[in-house]
Amino acid sequence: MRTTVGIIGAGPAGLLLARLLHNAGIDSVVLESRDRAYVEHRQRAGILEQGTVDVLRAAGAGERMDREGLRHDGIELRYDRKRHRVDFPALTGGRSVTVYAQTEVCKDLIALQLKEGGPLLFETEALVVEGAETDSPRVRFRHKGVEGVDGVEDVEDVLECDYVVGCDGFWGVSRMAIPAELTRVFERTYPFGWLGILADVAPSHDELVYARHDRGFALLSMRSPSVSRLYLQVPEGTDAEAWRDDEIWTELERRFETADDWRLERGPITQKSVTPMRSYVHEPMRHGRLFLAGDAAHIVPPTGAKGLNLAVGDVVTFARALTYERETGSSELLDGYSATCLRRVWQAERFSYDMTTLLHRAPDATPFEDRLQLARLERIAGSRAAETDLAEAYTGFPFG
Ligand code: APR
Ligand code: PHB
């Protein structure tokens, strides 16, 4: 097999990149190790920055998002039983965010790719990227073979490319093709994670609520007017099944407590899982003709809702750079890919770290640190400058 761009991974990064390249008349092949159902139902993020919304619309993938997505003009910060709303348009010159789950973004992009895009090969696992330093890198991969005398045999194959983009997430293989001696990794883990639930109950607030509480962080989000998405800070290594449904609701109610009569509506929990918390950046994001995009290159704690939006910024940057090279013969933007992406990545890392340390209570938190968090929250609630920094970062950094 041969293609211009070999894409490893069919998450938001890989799927959107395939769409952007298709629209630019550049052929690609997407290799995805899991099956379609897994990719379309993996519960992850839910917030699209304005820039991401604009890119999806321009790529022809925004029709259902425009119909079903929920535009949000603010979030509520909750602490010490107080409530403070951050008004995005007023602080950012009109920017907002859209609540539209990453599962739905992937479904829309998969449908488009299967309908009019290049090959999207599910249950096809990339094993290794070879020849990244040459003009024709290769991806060695394995896929399910045909029914034989001994059942279905796996078959190994090779995809010859002009470029390879590793969109294979944190646990992928593409990063391994960059020599360790050329690599710098920046990482921080946190002593807590998020227990996330989906519940068949209308959200108890019309915007997202981020709560800082002495018992720990809680987040009220949503997937639709009838489906709530909620998260609880839990100790790292927590087993989701260790929490009974009624215990989850009771703990959420305690952490969302306010001085007024606001109340959290309960409902049947339909999905429960624990997400670990990590900050991670792999530099560089390019080696020869191998480019990294999305979680393959960087991870942010989900507190700032940046993961998917960073992946979008990376693939927009790559598609622009490759298009520029084919139109002008200049590799200037491809050569600047890593530096361009990392400027945006590090701003998102800074914001995600700030939001995480602002709202989560570490197991070994001291009374001084507790007061410091409350002082930081009071500063945001009382200073347009501090509030603007949060609103600008939350609604998104410019691409490229
Ligand atoms: N071969 C083929 N596919 C692979 C391989 C491999 N060796 N390893 C991983 N994959 C696939 C995974 O199955 C997954 O579908 O790569 C995809 C990576 O997708 P994501 O982990 O979602 O990463 P990305 O596309 O960068 O999305 C980034 O979007 O999902 C949200 O918030 C989430 O931060 C995340 C963001
Ligand atoms: C979500 O809806 O899944 C979500 C929203 C905001 C976040 C993280 C996750 O900061």
Side-chain angles (χ1 to χ4, degrees):
M1 290 176 72
R2 156 157 279 287
T3 188
T4 302
V5 181
I7 299 172
I8 306 176
L15 290 167
L16 179 57
L17 177 56
R19 182 65 186 173
L20 295 174
L21 294 175
H22 168 80
N23 291 347
I26 300 172
D27 63 287
S28 69
V29 171
V30 182
L31 308 177
E32 167 53 51
S33 54
R34 309 299 292 259
D35 64 23
R36 177 175 179 179
Y38 175 87
V39 172
E40 291 188 341
H41 295 90
R42 174 177 48 200
Q43 276 304 324
R44 303 284 282 278
I47 300 296
L48 307 185
E49 295 172 1
Q50 188 65 53
T52 297
V53 167
D54 296 344
V55 165
L56 288 169
R57 277 192 192 125
E63 191 264 333
R64 189 162 71 98
M65 172 189 68
D66 286 335
R67 202 171 58 246
E68 299 177 11
L70 306 170
R71 175 189 160 127
H72 278 207
D73 286 340
I75 59 172
E76 180 175 301
L77 299 177
R78 203 171 280 188
Y79 61 96
D80 202 17
R81 306 180 78 229
K82 299 173 188 170
R83 308 173 65 176
H84 176 76
R85 181 175 187 270
V86 179
D87 181 342
F88 292 151
L91 294 162
T92 63
R95 296 205 310 244
S96 62
V97 294
T98 296
V99 177
Y100 189 66
Q102 161 258 342
T103 51
E104 305 320 295
V105 173
C106 287
K107 286 174 190 171
D108 296 343
L109 289 168
I110 287 171
L112 279 171
Q113 184 70 4
L114 294 177
K115 178 178 158 216
E116 56 192 49
L120 167 49
L121 308 179
F122 290 105
E123 297 181 278
T124 301
E125 182 184 10
L127 303 171
V128 63
V129 177
E130 298 170 339
E133 302 85 355
T134 71
D135 287 348
S136 52
R138 292 176 307 286
V139 182
R140 204 168 290 284
F141 65 92
R142 174 171 54 218
H143 61 89
K144 289 202 177 313
V146 295
E147 188 71 30
V149 292
D150 301 324
V152 176
E153 299 284 321
D154 279 354
V155 172
E156 286 205 11
D157 212 329
V158 176
L159 177 64
E160 303 283 350
C161 316
D162 293 341
Y163 302 90
V164 175
V165 185
C167 301
D168 45 351
F170 186 70
W171 305 104
V173 296
S174 57
R175 269 201 316 272
M176 313 312 156
I178 300 182
E181 62 271 19
L182 301 178
T183 294
R184 289 192 68 190
V185 167
F186 306 82
E187 187 168 20
R188 176 193 174 99
T189 57
Y190 300 83
F192 44 75
W194 280 8
L195 168 60
I197 64 169
L198 275 180
D200 282 343
V201 61
S204 299
H205 195 59
D206 57 358
E207 292 178 331
L208 273 63
V209 179
Y210 289 77
R212 185 265 170 215
H213 192 280
D214 285 344
R215 298 177 64 85
F217 170 79
L219 170 60
L220 179 151
S221 184
M222 58 203 69
R223 288 293 176 267
S224 73
S226 61
V227 177
S228 293
R229 177 72 164 157
L230 298 119
Y231 297 95
L232 272 179
Q233 174 190 339
V234 291
E236 63 182 330
T238 293
D239 174 3
E241 294 314 313
W243 281 75
R244 293 199 322 270
D245 291 6
D246 62 304
E247 290 172 324
I248 293 173
W249 286 115
T250 301
E251 189 63 32
L252 284 166
E253 284 161 357
R254 299 180 75 167
R255 297 185 189 185
F256 284 123
E257 63 175 345
T258 62
D260 60 22
D261 60 355
W262 185 89
R263 53 179 275 120
L264 180 65
E265 297 299 330
R266 300 189 179 201
I269 293 177
T270 57
Q271 204 257 6
K272 211 187 286 188
S273 61
V274 171
T275 307
M277 203 69 79
R278 178 198 316 268
S279 300
Y280 176 93
V281 179
H282 179 288
E283 294 186 6
M285 291 177 56
R286 177 214 180 168
H287 178 63
R289 289 191 172 222
L290 168 64
F291 295 76
L292 305 180
D295 277 14
H298 41 72
I299 297 283
V300 284
T303 327
K306 288 296 153 202
L308 188 157
N309 297 291
L310 275 183
V312 169
D314 293 346
V315 297
V316 165
T317 302
F318 177 80
R320 274 184 193 152
L322 183 56
T323 304
Y324 181 78
E325 195 256 359
R326 289 164 75 94
E327 287 170 355
T328 67
S330 164
S331 66
E332 179 189 359
L333 297 188
L334 282 172
D335 296 341
Y337 170 81
S338 190
T340 300
C341 291
L342 286 169
R343 269 194 297 278
R344 195 165 177 273
V345 166
W346 277 109
Q347 285 304 316
E349 291 285 349
R350 186 279 303 174
F351 174 64
S352 303
Y353 173 81
D354 281 356
M355 283 286 276
T356 299
T357 57
L358 175 70
L359 295 163
H360 292 71
R361 190 160 188 276
D364 59 354
T366 63
F368 172 78
E369 287 161 335
D370 289 342
R371 284 287 187 278
L372 212 53
Q373 279 186 328
L374 294 175
R376 289 172 63 188
L377 284 157
E378 288 293 358
R379 170 71 178 158
I380 291 167
S383 155
R384 189 176 176 85
E387 205 180 18
T388 300
D389 174 54
L390 188 157
E392 285 180 343
Y394 196 97
T395 54
F397 304 106
F399 290 150

